[in-house]
Amino acid sequence: MKTEGRATRLLAASLTLCLSLAACQHVMTSGLADFKSDGCSMFPDGSYYSCCYLHDVAYWPGGTAEARELADKSLRDCVSGITHNEALAQAMYNGVRVGGGPGLRTHYRWGYGWPFPYRKEYSPLTPEEQRQVAEKTRTLCTTIRLNPSTGGFVVLIADADREISATQARQICPGL
């Protein structure tokens, strides 16, 4: 009985140390929230809101610094392609580079789908995290629906139906 009590105390002390130092963060499983988008976050949703939706899809699970940079450049290129306004595209790019890091406690940070501070640094997604992203993405894809009159796809952005192009929808859900 004495040994059992000592083992329980040792386990509790180890767990407390592990949690307080975040030394075992990699073994703690934290659930990925369902995908949601607020459009262009701190920026007006112009004719380019579909670019922001794709950007949110990329930001939602987070990952490496290289993946974030690619997402931010894709946002800039998408906005530029739709608006033909290089200054606007660059301003949006600069904004997400400054305000979208993983260490920020915001609803639009890199990796915002994970509870903060679970994923507050850049790192590749673990196999378990990848599994969660794939599962939640499949669920997201069931909510995207074709608009037969335009050929685009309807998505929910900030509690409103909005439309993204078929090409953009297939970037998220290749089977559409």
Side-chain angles (χ1 to χ4, degrees), residues 17-154:
L17 177 63
C18 183
L19 292 174
S20 66
L21 296 176
C24 62
Q25 181 175 352
H26 64 282
V27 298
M28 295 178 353
T29 301
S30 189
L32 177 67
D34 291 341
F35 174 76
K36 64 181 178 183
S37 173
D38 65 354
C40 296
S41 300
M42 306 294 286
F43 216 85
D45 288 343
S47 59
Y48 45 80
Y49 69 86
S50 62
C51 303
C52 298
Y53 186 87
L54 288 179
H55 190 251
D56 285 352
V57 170
Y59 261 54
W60 167 58
T64 65
E66 295 80 14
R68 178 177 171 227
E69 186 173 353
L70 178 62
D72 293 346
K73 286 179 178 178
S74 294
L75 172 68
R76 181 185 60 201
D77 295 346
C78 183
V79 170
S80 176
I82 288 175
T83 67
H84 306 289
N85 184 334
E86 295 297 323
L88 171 66
Q90 191 62 42
M92 291 181 76
Y93 173 81
N94 292 341
V96 295
R97 292 307 299 166
V98 170
L104 303 172
R105 186 181 285 258
T106 61
H107 69 278
Y108 50 82
R109 74 184 185 284
W110 180 248
Y112 72 85
W114 305 101
F116 190 84
Y118 171 71
R119 209 165 223 300
K120 67 177 187 174
E121 297 176 3
Y122 296 109
S123 64
L125 297 177
T126 67
E128 170 56 21
E129 291 167 338
Q130 291 173 17
R131 185 196 64 72
Q132 289 184 52
V133 171
E135 180 181 311
K136 298 282 185 166
T137 300
R138 278 191 297 277
T139 300
L140 169 64
C141 291
T142 65
T143 69
I144 297 174
R145 63 187 192 280
L146 176 66
N147 179 346
S149 63
T150 65
F153 283 80
V154 177

